[in-house]
Amino acid sequence: MLDEKILEQVKQVIGLIKYPVELATSLDYSEQSKQTSEILHQIAGLSDLIQVKWEENERKPSFVIRRVDSDISVRFAGVPSGTEFNSFVLALLQVGGHPVKADEDIIAAIKQIDEPAEYTTYVSLSCMNCPDVVQALNAISIINPVVKHTVVDGGTFGEEFDHLHLQSVPTVVKDGEVFLQGRSTLEQVVTKIVRGMTGLRLKRLNALEPFDVLVIGGGPAGVAAAVYAARKQLRVGIVADRIGGQVLEGGQIENLITLERVKPEELTATFEANLRDYPIDQIGGIRVENIGSRTPEGMIPLMTEGGARLQARTVVICVGSSFKHLDIPGEETYLNRGVSFCPHCDGPLFTDRKIAVMGGGNSAIEAAIDLAGIAREVTVIDIADSLKADKVLVERLKALANTRVIQCANATRVLGDGHRVTGLEYKDADGQGQMLELDGIFVQIGSTPNTDWLTGKLEMEDGYISVDNTGATSIPGVFAAGDCTNVPHKQIVIALGAGANAALGAFEYLIRNPKDA
């Protein structure tokens, strides 16, 4: 049952529905069906335009959100709760006539899709990456009903995951084959469906006026840089595949000063609100691939994937980092088939199974603690002879009955049966080969900067961009901040400050170098 606070929040937006909507349910006598029925009837009770009816379907519980006397619909299989509750409410509003918010070129591209297709997105209700994909495909199917979309919760329909050998979410399946895995924005999903950037979007991006400051990256450093630059009354743009960055890959945040604790999606929502408060040109669902030399007109050119060309007087690079891989045989073969980097997304798929967490730092031990509440057995495997994680986390791990730690262990091979992970080979402290039977492996051994595209362009240290105390790089007018730089510590609070510092450095550069303006 939804509590009064949530119902009141939904009631505030339910008035946006313009057309009659039916929730066509298919239920059985399970507890999940009971929960689904209760939620749907509670929501229907908030508006005379919503009605609940029965409709037979092989998946139970499931329901269709359908605009009456229309072919506009989306289907959910499972309880509409957890991280997908907002997706459910948004789909209800959009099916009911509230317009999808997206760039006009993206909407035009969706309307031009003429190939009928059915997509199924497999999710877990604790996955923070899943709603982006779910909401993107829902929006596409609502704008253009030639595309059909169903959302399936793995916690309710585990047998479908087993049949398709899926061990990672979100996973989008089309015609029985994997179409897309991992987080994606609406722009990225549309680009994949139409097989490239739309001509209209390319034309629009190329026509953008040069920026005073162009920020690359949408994590804490990038958002702070964009906001601080905009506060200086500069023309600011931010290019990011998604706002939030690696923040969205973690669990509850408890070390961000001024906030006792905050969920990643809540912090990201705050970032998005901060950006909306200023006239910042947000260019989403795309990445910058190259940076050129300053032109005679004083502009720094940047090329994006898909061939768009942007220009700016100064640039702030905040591209963050990505999870490190083990780089051992079998890892790539079983990626998303038992090898995972997101315990919060994929953890529920390993309920009552034996898993390993690779690493000994804070992220690894936090992951092991979280997974211990789901898995039958969690083994922490660390190459070092002592765990580097904070003592409070180590003590919390040791107090759990279904966890253990193997140290001085050097992983050598991921084992599998052709479909999924079955074990891990490693060498112990004596150099002897050992084998551990496992159902899943969560890799938490740190991260590497997303700076490959800058190789040979900027001065770097082991892939990290070298910056001075203003965030300036080796290229005049180009600044950097956050986890992609050579600052010694990688924390959200540090990235926020570094982003603001780099933006202020860019502002001072523009003042002192009018010839480049």
Side-chain angles (χ1 to χ4, degrees):
M1 294 284 286
L2 301 176
D3 62 36
E4 290 301 322
K5 182 179 179 181
I6 293 176
L7 280 175
E8 184 59 33
Q9 292 172 343
V10 175
K11 188 175 182 179
Q12 291 176 9
V13 300
I14 212 73
L16 297 172
I17 292 178
K18 301 176 182 178
Y19 307 114
V21 174
E22 58 186 23
L23 302 174
T25 63
S26 179
L27 307 172
D28 54 20
Y29 296 101
S30 66
E31 181 61 30
Q32 292 98 325
S33 285
K34 179 183 177 182
Q35 293 175 15
T36 299
S37 178
E38 289 176 345
I39 291 173
L40 297 185
H41 279 90
Q42 280 185 292
I43 296 297
L46 300 176
S47 172
D48 293 337
L49 291 175
I50 305 173
Q51 60 174 322
V52 180
K53 59 175 288 188
W54 170 263
E55 182 174 284
E56 181 64 27
N57 184 269
E58 61 182 17
R59 292 191 182 102
K60 297 180 176 65
S62 69
F63 60 96
V64 180
I65 306 173
R66 180 183 295 116
R67 185 181 299 177
V68 176
D69 298 327
S70 166
D71 57 356
I72 295 175
S73 66
V74 297
R75 181 181 293 276
F76 279 76
V79 183
S81 60
T83 54
E84 291 304 335
F85 180 73
N86 287 343
S87 299
F88 159 55
V89 174
L90 182 60
L92 183 61
L93 299 181
Q94 292 172 341
V95 170
H98 185 61
V100 174
K101 294 182 179 179
D103 290 342
E104 61 180 38
D105 50 311
I106 294 296
I107 293 177
I110 294 171
K111 290 180 177 179
Q112 291 171 4
I113 297 172
D114 58 6
E115 177 187 352
E118 293 195 12
Y119 297 91
T120 302
T121 302
Y122 290 90
V123 305
S124 74
L125 299 182
S126 63
C127 171
M128 291 169 291
N129 292 325
C130 295
D132 283 356
V133 177
V134 168
Q135 292 170 23
L137 278 161
N138 280 348
I140 292 169
S141 66
I142 291 166
I143 293 171
N144 187 345
V146 73
V147 176
K148 301 298 182 184
H149 184 222
T150 300
V151 184
V152 178
D153 167 40
T156 306
F157 297 95
E159 69 279 2
E160 288 193 37
F161 276 68
D162 292 339
H163 176 72
L164 294 169
H165 306 296
L166 303 180
Q167 290 190 302
S168 178
V169 291
T171 293
V172 180
V173 172
K174 176 187 177 186
D175 300 327
E177 300 292 332
V178 173
F179 174 77
L180 182 153
Q181 284 186 308
R183 67 185 189 189
S184 294
T185 63
L186 174 61
E187 293 86 353
Q188 290 169 326
V189 175
V190 171
T191 297
K192 186 169 178 62
I193 291 176
V194 302
R195 300 179 181 88
M197 184 185 294
T198 66
L200 185 59
R201 189 178 198 210
L202 181 62
K203 182 178 179 180
R204 183 178 68 84
L205 292 179
N206 285 334
L208 288 173
E209 292 294 321
F211 296 95
D212 295 321
V213 179
L214 184 62
V215 179
I216 305 173
V223 171
V227 168
Y228 266 73
R231 287 176 62 85
K232 293 296 184 181
Q233 304 300 306
L234 300 172
R235 173 167 161 71
V236 180
I238 181 170
V239 184
D241 57 348
R242 187 176 66 164
I243 301 301
Q246 205 171 33
V247 165
L248 287 163
E249 305 287 356
Q252 183 165 265
I253 300 160
E254 299 180 351
N255 60 351
L256 184 54
I257 306 304
T258 75
L259 296 174
E260 183 177 2
R261 59 182 59 88
V262 63
K263 295 179 180 178
E265 60 270 27
E266 294 171 341
L267 184 58
T268 297
T270 301
F271 289 162
E272 292 170 341
N274 292 153
L275 292 171
R276 288 194 299 269
D277 285 340
Y278 298 91
I280 298 168
D281 198 331
Q282 296 188 51
I283 304 169
I286 195 170
R287 297 178 183 177
V288 173
E289 290 187 333
N290 196 14
I291 182 170
S293 301
R294 191 179 292 275
T295 68
E297 295 77 24
M299 298 298 167
I300 300 171
L302 299 114
M303 299 300 296
T304 74
E305 56 187 357
R309 186 175 188 268
L310 306 172
Q311 295 189 90
R313 296 163 65 193
T314 62
V315 175
V316 182
I317 300 172
C318 308
V319 290
S321 59
S322 299
F323 293 118
K324 282 185 178 178
H325 288 220
L326 295 170
D327 290 329
I328 59 176
E331 181 183 31
E332 289 299 317
T333 301
Y334 292 100
L335 188 62
N336 297 323
R337 293 194 289 168
V339 176
S340 174
F341 296 87
C342 184
H344 309 286
C345 300
D346 300 335
L349 305 180
F350 294 87
T351 299
D352 198 34
R353 297 186 181 184
K354 296 169 67 175
I355 59 176
V357 175
M358 313 299 295
N362 283 348
S363 62
I365 304 308
E366 287 172 351
I369 293 169
D370 288 345
L371 291 166
I374 300 171
R376 183 194 325 160
E377 180 181 291
V378 178
T379 303
V380 174
I381 299 178
D382 189 19
I383 195 170
D385 58 3
S386 62
L387 298 176
K388 295 183 295 182
D390 294 342
K391 184 177 180 181
V392 63
L393 293 174
V394 174
E395 292 302 319
R396 198 181 302 171
L397 177 74
K398 291 180 178 179
L400 299 173
N402 63 335
T403 67
R404 61 171 174 158
V405 179
I406 299 176
Q407 296 187 272
C408 300
N410 186 21
T412 56
R413 181 181 295 272
V414 174
L415 304 175
D417 61 5
H419 295 297
R420 63 187 65 194
V421 166
T422 59
L424 178 75
E425 290 182 352
Y426 68 94
K427 290 185 177 180
D428 62 21
D430 297 322
Q432 299 298 310
Q434 305 289 345
M435 196 277 285
L436 189 65
E437 291 186 1
L438 296 167
D439 299 300
I441 299 170
F442 289 84
V443 183
Q444 299 283 296
I445 57 173
S447 56
T448 185
N450 298 319
T451 57
D452 286 351
W453 60 284
L454 293 167
T455 301
K457 302 283 187 178
L458 294 170
E459 182 180 323
M460 292 193 279
E461 298 177 11
D462 298 324
Y464 292 93
I465 302 170
S466 299
V467 294
D468 67 11
N469 58 7
T470 69
T473 72
S474 57
I475 297 179
V478 177
F479 297 76
D483 288 5
C484 65
T485 68
N486 62 344
V487 296
H489 303 294
K490 317 297 182 185
Q491 298 289 322
I492 294 173
V493 68
I494 294 173
L496 288 168
N501 183 57
L504 295 176
F507 174 67
E508 292 177 358
Y509 176 87
L510 290 172
I511 291 175
R512 296 177 181 180
N513 295 273
K515 64 178 183 296
D516 290 335

